[in-house]
Amino acid sequence: MRLRGRKGIRENLEQQPELVVLEPGEHKGKWAKLFGNDRPIHVEFGMGKGQFISQMSFRNPDINYIGFDMYDELVRRASDKARNAWSEREVDTPPNLKLALANIETIENVFEEGEVERVYLNFSDPWPKSKHARRRLTHPRFLTKYRHILNSDGQIHFKTDSETLFEFSLNSFADSGLQMTNISLNLHRDGINEEHVMTEYEQKFMGKGMNIHRVEVVIGEKIYAEYNKIRLDKY
């Protein structure tokens, strides 16, 4: 995605230090201090216009959220979405949300080891050409980065409309020795769950009758052990 920046975007972001983080690397290992608490941190890489991360922060005030994007115009749009999401509570700035301008390629410079509990990857660019496979956010080289920053409860939640990317991702997770659960090839087959937060892309694709693919990936040792215990008890 290439966005033509409008004049004044950077200035707009600079005027929102309570919500927008322009130098996220400065907070490596200190995100809890920035939020003012030690609640779990969930991040969305490639948040787009910010609908998902804004609604998640609104619905789950006991979790800290960080939305990342590399385009300043999208961060600006996400800041509007965030403020609108919280407006019904008469809150101007979401207390548990930060929007960060960063390239995911260097995410290991933004978080310390084990600083994050959950990673959301929603409708990432599928990079359909084989020569661009390394750019896919579920490529093993990115999984290595996620595993480094995720803690003992760590998970990756991945959604896409691309059947090809989903197949690639499942293979990537398996090849990396990661446990997968709640795999769905048609997430909304039985209707939309009211508790499910959709992205802008998800709404668009749903309107076209397209299937949404989703999987949860277990990373952390603690959550992995709990998952396997539940599975053994079930069977």
Short mmCIF file of all heavy atoms in Angstrom, two decimals, residues 15 31 36 42 44 48 53 55 85 94 112 115-116 122 132 136 149 157 160 181-182 191-192 199 207-208 221 234-235:
data_model
loop_
_atom_site.label_atom_id
_atom_site.label_comp_id
_atom_site.label_asym_id
_atom_site.label_seq_id
_atom_site.Cartn_x
_atom_site.Cartn_y
_atom_site.Cartn_z
N GLN A 15 1.33 16.27 17.77
CA GLN A 15 0.47 16.96 18.73
C GLN A 15 -0.35 15.97 19.56
O GLN A 15 -1.18 16.39 20.38
CB GLN A 15 -0.47 17.92 17.99
CG GLN A 15 0.25 19.10 17.36
CD GLN A 15 -0.64 19.91 16.43
OE1 GLN A 15 -1.84 19.67 16.32
NE2 GLN A 15 -0.04 20.87 15.75
N TRP A 31 7.53 -0.37 28.21
CA TRP A 31 6.15 -0.10 27.81
C TRP A 31 5.21 -0.08 29.00
O TRP A 31 4.25 0.71 29.04
CB TRP A 31 5.68 -1.13 26.77
CG TRP A 31 6.29 -0.89 25.43
CD1 TRP A 31 7.39 -1.53 24.90
CD2 TRP A 31 5.87 0.05 24.45
NE1 TRP A 31 7.67 -1.04 23.65
CE2 TRP A 31 6.76 -0.07 23.35
CE3 TRP A 31 4.85 0.99 24.38
CZ2 TRP A 31 6.63 0.71 22.20
CZ3 TRP A 31 4.71 1.76 23.24
CH2 TRP A 31 5.59 1.63 22.17
N GLY A 36 1.75 2.96 32.55
CA GLY A 36 1.51 3.22 33.97
C GLY A 36 0.97 2.04 34.74
O GLY A 36 0.43 2.19 35.83
N HIS A 42 -0.99 -6.45 24.27
CA HIS A 42 -1.35 -7.08 23.01
C HIS A 42 -1.05 -6.11 21.89
O HIS A 42 -1.35 -4.91 22.01
CB HIS A 42 -2.85 -7.44 22.98
CG HIS A 42 -3.24 -8.51 23.95
ND1 HIS A 42 -4.50 -9.09 23.95
CD2 HIS A 42 -2.53 -9.14 24.93
CE1 HIS A 42 -4.55 -10.01 24.90
NE2 HIS A 42 -3.37 -10.05 25.51
N GLU A 44 -0.98 -5.23 17.53
CA GLU A 44 -1.42 -5.53 16.17
C GLU A 44 -0.41 -4.97 15.21
O GLU A 44 -0.13 -3.76 15.22
CB GLU A 44 -2.80 -4.95 15.88
CG GLU A 44 -3.30 -5.31 14.48
CD GLU A 44 -4.64 -4.67 14.12
OE1 GLU A 44 -5.07 -3.73 14.83
OE2 GLU A 44 -5.23 -5.09 13.11
N GLY A 48 -3.60 -0.83 9.87
CA GLY A 48 -4.42 -0.13 8.89
C GLY A 48 -5.05 1.11 9.49
O GLY A 48 -4.37 1.91 10.16
N ILE A 53 -7.98 -2.49 16.55
CA ILE A 53 -7.25 -2.21 17.79
C ILE A 53 -8.01 -1.22 18.66
O ILE A 53 -7.99 -1.31 19.89
CB ILE A 53 -5.82 -1.70 17.47
CG1 ILE A 53 -4.89 -1.90 18.67
CG2 ILE A 53 -5.81 -0.28 17.00
CD1 ILE A 53 -4.48 -3.33 18.90
N GLN A 55 -11.39 -0.87 18.84
CA GLN A 55 -12.50 -1.56 19.45
C GLN A 55 -12.03 -2.55 20.52
O GLN A 55 -12.69 -2.73 21.56
CB GLN A 55 -13.32 -2.29 18.39
CG GLN A 55 -14.11 -1.39 17.47
CD GLN A 55 -15.19 -0.62 18.23
OE1 GLN A 55 -15.78 -1.13 19.19
NE2 GLN A 55 -15.45 0.60 17.80
N ALA A 85 -13.99 5.69 19.10
CA ALA A 85 -14.41 4.47 19.79
C ALA A 85 -14.69 4.72 21.26
O ALA A 85 -15.58 4.11 21.86
CB ALA A 85 -13.34 3.39 19.63
N PRO A 94 -7.91 7.13 24.75
CA PRO A 94 -7.99 5.79 25.35
C PRO A 94 -6.82 5.57 26.31
O PRO A 94 -5.66 5.74 25.94
CB PRO A 94 -7.89 4.86 24.14
CG PRO A 94 -8.38 5.68 23.00
CD PRO A 94 -7.92 7.08 23.28
N GLU A 112 11.49 -5.75 24.42
CA GLU A 112 12.43 -6.66 25.04
C GLU A 112 11.87 -8.09 24.94
O GLU A 112 10.69 -8.29 24.66
CB GLU A 112 12.62 -6.31 26.52
CG GLU A 112 13.49 -5.09 26.77
CD GLU A 112 14.97 -5.35 26.55
OE1 GLU A 112 15.32 -6.47 26.11
OE2 GLU A 112 15.77 -4.45 26.80
N GLU A 115 8.15 -9.26 26.38
CA GLU A 115 7.43 -8.07 26.81
C GLU A 115 5.96 -8.05 26.34
O GLU A 115 5.16 -7.27 26.83
CB GLU A 115 8.14 -6.82 26.31
CG GLU A 115 7.74 -5.55 27.03
CD GLU A 115 8.65 -4.37 26.71
OE1 GLU A 115 9.52 -4.50 25.81
OE2 GLU A 115 8.50 -3.33 27.35
N VAL A 116 5.61 -8.94 25.40
CA VAL A 116 4.29 -8.94 24.79
C VAL A 116 3.58 -10.26 25.07
O VAL A 116 4.21 -11.32 25.14
CB VAL A 116 4.42 -8.73 23.26
CG1 VAL A 116 3.07 -8.88 22.56
CG2 VAL A 116 5.03 -7.37 22.97
N ASN A 122 -3.77 -9.21 11.15
CA ASN A 122 -5.08 -9.17 10.50
C ASN A 122 -4.96 -8.72 9.05
O ASN A 122 -4.58 -7.58 8.78
CB ASN A 122 -6.01 -8.22 11.26
CG ASN A 122 -6.35 -8.71 12.65
OD1 ASN A 122 -6.59 -9.90 12.85
ND2 ASN A 122 -6.37 -7.81 13.62
N HIS A 132 8.54 -12.98 -3.30
CA HIS A 132 8.29 -12.05 -2.20
C HIS A 132 7.87 -12.78 -0.92
O HIS A 132 7.42 -12.13 0.04
CB HIS A 132 7.20 -11.05 -2.59
CG HIS A 132 7.61 -10.11 -3.67
ND1 HIS A 132 6.70 -9.55 -4.55
CD2 HIS A 132 8.83 -9.63 -4.03
CE1 HIS A 132 7.35 -8.77 -5.40
NE2 HIS A 132 8.63 -8.81 -5.10
N ARG A 136 6.14 -11.87 3.69
CA ARG A 136 4.89 -12.24 4.36
C ARG A 136 5.11 -12.27 5.87
O ARG A 136 6.10 -12.82 6.35
CB ARG A 136 4.41 -13.60 3.85
CG ARG A 136 4.12 -13.62 2.36
CD ARG A 136 3.91 -15.02 1.83
NE ARG A 136 3.81 -15.02 0.38
CZ ARG A 136 3.96 -16.09 -0.40
NH1 ARG A 136 4.21 -17.28 0.16
NH2 ARG A 136 3.84 -15.98 -1.71
N ILE A 149 9.72 -11.74 21.36
CA ILE A 149 9.06 -10.71 22.16
C ILE A 149 7.89 -11.24 22.98
O ILE A 149 7.44 -10.59 23.92
CB ILE A 149 8.58 -9.53 21.29
CG1 ILE A 149 7.45 -9.96 20.34
CG2 ILE A 149 9.75 -8.95 20.51
CD1 ILE A 149 6.84 -8.82 19.55
N HIS A 157 -2.58 -14.48 16.84
CA HIS A 157 -3.91 -14.65 16.24
C HIS A 157 -3.85 -14.09 14.83
O HIS A 157 -3.56 -12.90 14.64
CB HIS A 157 -4.98 -13.92 17.06
CG HIS A 157 -5.27 -14.57 18.38
ND1 HIS A 157 -6.39 -14.29 19.13
CD2 HIS A 157 -4.59 -15.52 19.08
CE1 HIS A 157 -6.39 -15.01 20.23
NE2 HIS A 157 -5.29 -15.77 20.23
N THR A 160 -7.02 -13.89 7.64
CA THR A 160 -6.79 -13.47 6.26
C THR A 160 -7.94 -13.93 5.37
O THR A 160 -8.65 -14.89 5.69
CB THR A 160 -5.47 -14.05 5.72
OG1 THR A 160 -5.26 -13.61 4.36
CG2 THR A 160 -5.49 -15.58 5.72
N THR A 181 -4.34 -23.95 17.06
CA THR A 181 -5.65 -24.32 17.56
C THR A 181 -6.71 -23.38 16.99
O THR A 181 -6.38 -22.31 16.45
CB THR A 181 -5.67 -24.25 19.11
OG1 THR A 181 -6.94 -24.69 19.60
CG2 THR A 181 -5.42 -22.84 19.61
N ASN A 182 -7.97 -23.78 17.11
CA ASN A 182 -9.09 -22.96 16.61
C ASN A 182 -8.89 -22.55 15.15
O ASN A 182 -9.05 -21.37 14.79
CB ASN A 182 -9.29 -21.73 17.49
CG ASN A 182 -9.74 -22.09 18.89
OD1 ASN A 182 -10.46 -23.06 19.09
ND2 ASN A 182 -9.29 -21.33 19.88
N GLY A 191 -22.66 -17.29 11.06
CA GLY A 191 -23.06 -15.96 11.47
C GLY A 191 -21.98 -15.27 12.28
O GLY A 191 -21.04 -15.91 12.78
N ILE A 192 -22.11 -13.98 12.43
CA ILE A 192 -21.10 -13.19 13.12
C ILE A 192 -21.33 -13.23 14.63
O ILE A 192 -22.42 -12.92 15.11
CB ILE A 192 -21.12 -11.73 12.64
CG1 ILE A 192 -20.79 -11.68 11.14
CG2 ILE A 192 -20.13 -10.88 13.42
CD1 ILE A 192 -20.92 -10.31 10.53
N THR A 199 -12.17 -6.15 11.38
CA THR A 199 -11.42 -5.06 10.79
C THR A 199 -12.21 -4.47 9.62
O THR A 199 -13.22 -5.03 9.19
CB THR A 199 -10.06 -5.55 10.26
OG1 THR A 199 -10.27 -6.31 9.06
CG2 THR A 199 -9.34 -6.41 11.29
N GLY A 207 -18.85 -8.63 3.01
CA GLY A 207 -19.89 -8.10 2.14
C GLY A 207 -19.85 -8.71 0.75
O GLY A 207 -20.88 -8.74 0.05
N LYS A 208 -18.69 -9.20 0.36
CA LYS A 208 -18.53 -9.83 -0.94
C LYS A 208 -18.74 -11.35 -0.88
O LYS A 208 -18.57 -12.04 -1.88
CB LYS A 208 -17.14 -9.53 -1.50
CG LYS A 208 -16.91 -8.06 -1.83
CD LYS A 208 -15.52 -7.86 -2.42
CE LYS A 208 -15.28 -6.40 -2.79
NZ LYS A 208 -13.92 -6.20 -3.37
N GLU A 221 5.37 -21.10 26.64
CA GLU A 221 5.44 -22.41 27.28
C GLU A 221 4.28 -22.63 28.24
O GLU A 221 3.72 -23.72 28.32
CB GLU A 221 6.77 -22.54 28.03
CG GLU A 221 7.99 -22.53 27.12
CD GLU A 221 9.28 -22.66 27.90
OE1 GLU A 221 9.21 -22.75 29.14
OE2 GLU A 221 10.35 -22.66 27.29
N LYS A 234 -10.00 -33.41 27.63
CA LYS A 234 -11.17 -33.51 26.77
C LYS A 234 -11.30 -34.90 26.18
O LYS A 234 -12.41 -35.44 26.01
CB LYS A 234 -11.08 -32.46 25.65
CG LYS A 234 -12.28 -32.47 24.70
CD LYS A 234 -12.14 -31.36 23.66
CE LYS A 234 -13.31 -31.37 22.70
NZ LYS A 234 -13.18 -30.31 21.66
N TYR A 235 -10.15 -35.50 25.82
CA TYR A 235 -10.20 -36.79 25.16
C TYR A 235 -9.80 -37.95 26.08
O TYR A 235 -9.75 -39.07 25.66
CB TYR A 235 -9.27 -36.78 23.93
CG TYR A 235 -9.75 -35.81 22.88
CD1 TYR A 235 -9.11 -34.58 22.74
CD2 TYR A 235 -10.83 -36.09 22.08
CE1 TYR A 235 -9.56 -33.67 21.79
CE2 TYR A 235 -11.28 -35.17 21.11
CZ TYR A 235 -10.63 -33.97 20.98
OH TYR A 235 -11.06 -33.08 20.04
#
